[in-house]
């Protein structure tokens, strides 16, 4: 089954959870442990990515270790064409729609496309929209950040993504954000698109996860959560909140 179909099938049954692992943050063996823990707690897919310091080496090694330890899809969440790994089941073929830098909108993709084709990795097209505070990804992506009080700006980009044929939309507040994407913004976007809506950035507890789900997120992504020691309890609470 294609990863996209797996995600759509899961989403049809309710909001899903995806665990983001940054290859730059721990050794591949520990990344594999985190992924296995997340699977045992009910996460639906593992995403691998980070805004900075992703190399072909740490990506390949982390993807390989994770693939060996889990049997759910492992999806690459790329920051550019400089590192691409055939060790993942799929990758988000994404465009940072509100970047001021044409490189982030389409040039990296033009470089990556032929390589992705040759490697035979499943591409899942995605419109990536960066919301305040945006954090590192907003900074390195030179994003024209969506203001927190401007849900209609996010709606505009999201509908444009769908009309351009993108298969998913991702509302991103940035990894480690002190506040997740506003609930009104999630609801406004959800009300105007029919492709799945992924939400991430700054979601650290059950309350925030449940709120994002109830506002309309089809998928909730958490990353920073698993970087702290003793992450099991927090991750369990988040996944439970999303699945209940
Ligand atoms: C980042 O949305 C993800 O791309 C996850 O964010 O690290 O804050 O959970 P956190």
């Amino acid at each position: 089954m294609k990863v996209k179909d797996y995600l759509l099938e899961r989403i049809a049954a309710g909001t899903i959870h995806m665990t983001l692992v940054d290859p730059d943050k721990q050794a591949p063996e520990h990344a594999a442990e985190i992924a296995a823990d997340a699977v045992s707690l009910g996460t639906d897919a593992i995403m691998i990515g980070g805004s900075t310091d992703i190399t072909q080496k740490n990506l390949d090694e982390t993807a390989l270790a994770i693939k060996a330890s889990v049997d759910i899809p492992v999806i690459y969440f790329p920051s550019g064409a400089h590192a691409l790994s055939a060790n993942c089941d799929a990758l988000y073929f994404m465009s940072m729609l509100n970047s001021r830098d044409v490189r982030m909108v389409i040039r990296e993709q033009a470089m990556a496309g032929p390589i992705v084709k040759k490697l035979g990795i499943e591409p899942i097209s995605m419109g990536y929209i960066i919301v305040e505070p945006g954090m590192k990804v907003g900074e390195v992506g030179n994003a024209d950040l969506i203001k927190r009080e401007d849900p209609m700006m996010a709606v505009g980009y999201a509908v444009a993504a769908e009309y351009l044929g993108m298969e998913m939309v991702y509302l991103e507040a940035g990894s480690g954000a002190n506040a997740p994407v506003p609930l009104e913004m999630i609801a406004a976007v959800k009300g105007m698109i029919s492709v799945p809506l992924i939400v991430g950035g700054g979601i650290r507890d059950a309350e925030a996860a449940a709120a994002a789900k109830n506002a309309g997120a089809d998928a909730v992504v958490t990353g920073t959560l698993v970087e702290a020691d003793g992450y099991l309890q927090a991750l369990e609470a988040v996944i439970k909140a999303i699945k209940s």
Side-chain angles (χ1 to χ4, degrees):
M1 185 192 256
K2 287 203 157 191
V3 174
K4 182 192 157 193
D5 294 331
Y6 164 90
L7 294 176
L8 292 179
E9 202 176 284
R10 290 257 167 153
I11 286 169
T15 301
I16 66 168
H17 175 264
M18 296 193 277
T19 302
L20 174 65
V21 180
D22 184 340
D24 182 45
K25 296 281 165 63
Q26 66 286 294
E29 303 72 43
H30 184 48
E33 279 167 23
I34 292 171
D37 284 342
V39 170
S40 73
L41 296 173
T43 200
D44 295 284
I46 305 294
M47 288 167 47
I48 300 180
S51 303
T52 51
D53 299 316
I54 304 303
T55 64
Q56 191 61 53
K57 185 170 188 290
N58 64 22
L59 170 64
D60 269 330
E61 291 176 356
T62 299
L64 209 58
I66 290 179
K67 273 298 289 171
S69 76
V70 304
D71 52 8
I72 59 171
V74 177
I75 307 168
Y76 182 35
F77 183 46
S79 53
H82 61 284
L84 295 164
S85 177
N87 295 332
C88 297
D89 298 305
L91 93 165
Y92 293 126
F93 202 83
M94 51 201 262
S95 169
M96 188 186 288
L97 298 175
N98 59 327
S99 173
R100 298 185 188 88
D101 185 352
V102 71
R103 190 176 67 79
M104 300 304 288
V105 180
I106 192 62
R107 282 200 186 139
E108 290 288 328
Q109 296 79 349
M111 285 190 278
I115 303 168
V116 169
K117 182 118 198 166
K118 271 197 190 132
L119 293 176
I121 320 165
E122 177 188 340
I124 300 172
S125 70
M126 174 189 283
Y128 192 44
I129 303 165
I130 315 297
V131 178
E132 285 179 333
M135 310 304 284
K136 201 72 192 169
V137 70
E139 196 185 301
V140 299
N142 194 6
D144 180 16
L145 299 175
I146 307 284
K147 296 205 174 343
R148 295 182 63 80
E149 60 281 2
D150 192 2
M152 290 318 289
M153 186 62 82
V155 167
Y157 280 108
V159 173
E162 179 170 344
Y163 284 176
L164 284 165
M166 293 173 176
E167 298 168 306
M168 295 187 187
V169 166
Y170 193 134
L171 281 180
E172 170 76 89
S175 186
N178 56 5
V181 175
L183 301 178
E184 312 72 54
M185 194 178 286
I186 297 173
V189 168
K190 179 63 185 170
M192 289 288 278
I193 61 171
S194 54
V195 294
L197 174 60
I198 301 173
V199 176
I203 297 173
R204 295 186 192 85
D205 56 32
E207 199 185 344
K213 169 192 169 165
N214 294 334
D218 293 301
V220 173
V221 178
T222 60
T224 304
L225 200 63
V226 293
E227 286 166 19
D229 287 340
Y231 58 81
L232 275 176
Q233 231 180 345
L235 185 61
E236 182 175 23
V238 160
I239 296 176
K240 260 198 189 142
I242 290 165
K243 302 282 175 173
S244 60

